[in-house]
Amino acid sequence: MTDTPSSQPDNPQTTRCGMVSIVGRPNVGKSTLMNHLIGQKVSITSRKPQTTRHRIHGILSRDNYQIVFADTPGIHTGQEKALNRAMNEAAVSTLFGVDVICMMVDAMKWTPADEHVLSLLPEGGDVPVLLIINKVDNVDDKSALLPHIQSLSERYPFDAVIPVSALREQNLVELEKALVDRLQEGDFWYEEDQLTDRSLRFMVAEIIREKVVRQLGQEVPHQVSVEVELWEDGPRVTEISAAILVERRGQKKILIGDKGERIKQIGIQAREDIERLIERKVMLNLWVKIKAGWSDDARALRSLGYDERN
Ligand SMILES: Nc1nc2c(ncn2[C@@H]2O[C@H](COP(=O)(O)OP(=O)(O)OP(=O)(O)O)[C@@H](O)[C@H]2O)c(=O)[nH]1
Ligand SMILES: [Mg+2]
């Protein structure tokens, strides 16, 4: 390698870095937004509410700034299971100690759950809160958004209101700029090529869960969790075995499907994504295990990685 000229050693480039949390009710498009800002699929998405279960950091690094996003489970009301409490806690905890909060809403739909999220936003104006109005690709007449924006702005002192389409990547450059403008100067927290704080093992379990959620519709709602039980990097192939945990026998039957067809499809789709993620050939073994009551059992939840209040 040739020596690079020591250009302007007395004028090091200043960098900015900070944490931006993305909060909102389930299904407004939080994970889609984070993935499209980062340009990689870090957090799983689906048409079903309550897809994201954990707080997941996604890291966007540019030349002179790094934004660490916290994607969060959709904040919801009315469900009392330990899993629902853990999901809400994981989301609400990101309303504190971050540099910017993005509250995300759907351009076309306002619900009591949105109302609840609005009530949780910090008072005092110490942390800038941006209102992100998503899915504007669904809105033909953009002027229809104005009364909605107006009434929300009257109810909370948002620092800015930014309409976007996370899916169609509309207005994301403006959003990114609005975020960087609000970050403090500071060194990067993560290596520039790191995309998430989560392990490959976690991401593999999430990919499998995504395929389950997407395959199953409402039939097996959210009582599905995935545990990677074996991971062996062989010379040519990585062998991974994972258990899909359900709560009831009927759910197991649905998941396996007629002559095992459903679980086979889930396996094929998951394997393709996992191979892309780890850039190796994968042999994926899936099996379905009944673990009654895990979603309302604090200890079982901890063993599945749901202890993340800190
Ligand atoms: N038309 C349209 N659909 C979108 C947009 N952003 C997200 N979606 C869709 O909305 C659905 C929910 O997206 P997610 O990103 O999983 O939503 P979320 O807020 O993370 O949901 P939870 O994790 O359940 O809280 C998916 O079907 C997305 O494809 C958008 O800008 N336009
Ligand atoms: Mg999500």
Side-chain angles (χ1 to χ4, degrees), residues 136-173:
V136 295
D137 52 299
N138 283 336
V139 184
D140 291 332
D141 176 12
K142 305 282 188 265
S143 65
L145 293 172
L146 294 174
H148 191 38
I149 293 176
Q150 176 79 29
S151 74
L152 286 173
S153 304
E154 280 164 14
R155 299 183 55 194
Y156 188 86
F158 291 106
D159 211 35
V161 181
I162 306 181
V164 300
S165 168
L167 195 62
R168 311 259 174 253
E169 302 195 345
Q170 291 168 5
N171 229 19
L172 297 195
V173 174

Side-chain angles (χ1 to χ4, degrees), residues 199-205 208 228-234 237-242 274 277-280 282-285:
S199 65
L200 282 178
R201 222 180 160 93
F202 173 89
M203 290 179 76
V204 162
I208 297 166
V228 173
E229 297 189 327
L230 173 131
W231 182 305
E232 252 173 41
D233 289 320
V237 178
T238 294
E239 186 180 349
I240 297 172
S241 300
I274 296 166
L277 174 73
I278 69 174
E279 298 178 327
R280 297 206 78 208
V282 168
M283 191 170 108
L284 178 64
N285 313 305

Side-chain angles (χ1 to χ4, degrees), residues 30-31 44 51-52 71-72:
K30 300 178 294 300
S31 303
I44 67 169
T51 298
T52 304
D71 181 23
T72 61

Side-chain angles (χ1 to χ4, degrees), residues 264-281:
K264 191 173 145 199
Q265 286 308 320
I266 290 168
I268 291 169
Q269 291 170 7
R271 180 173 51 75
E272 284 172 0
D273 278 17
I274 296 166
E275 286 184 338
R276 219 168 299 135
L277 174 73
I278 69 174
E279 298 178 327
R280 297 206 78 208
K281 265 199 110 34

Side-chain angles (χ1 to χ4, degrees), residues 14-114:
T14 56
T15 56
R16 292 176 180 225
C17 185
M19 173 84 76
V20 173
S21 71
I22 309 173
V23 298
R25 74 161 160 82
N27 210 235
V28 289
K30 300 178 294 300
S31 303
T32 306
L33 177 72
M34 186 172 85
N35 291 341
H36 283 261
L37 282 165
I38 289 168
Q40 290 276 341
K41 182 148 167 182
V42 165
S43 195
I44 67 169
T45 65
S46 89
R47 283 184 290 149
K48 320 276 158 34
Q50 298 182 34
T51 298
T52 304
R53 293 259 191 84
H54 304 263
R55 179 199 39 71
I56 297 170
H57 288 175
I59 303 150
L60 172 66
S61 301
R62 306 272 190 216
D63 277 354
N64 54 353
Y65 60 87
Q66 182 171 69
I67 309 178
V68 181
F69 292 99
D71 181 23
T72 61
I75 296 174
H76 54 285
T77 51
Q79 283 164 306
E80 287 306 314
K81 283 194 168 183
L83 175 62
N84 298 102
R85 279 198 300 276
M87 286 164 64
N88 276 339
E89 273 167 30
V92 172
S93 69
T94 70
L95 292 169
F96 306 96
V98 297
D99 298 284
V100 184
I101 295 169
C102 291
M103 174 177 172
M104 188 178 236
V105 301
D106 183 324
M108 299 300 279
K109 215 163 128 200
W110 181 258
T111 72
D114 291 299

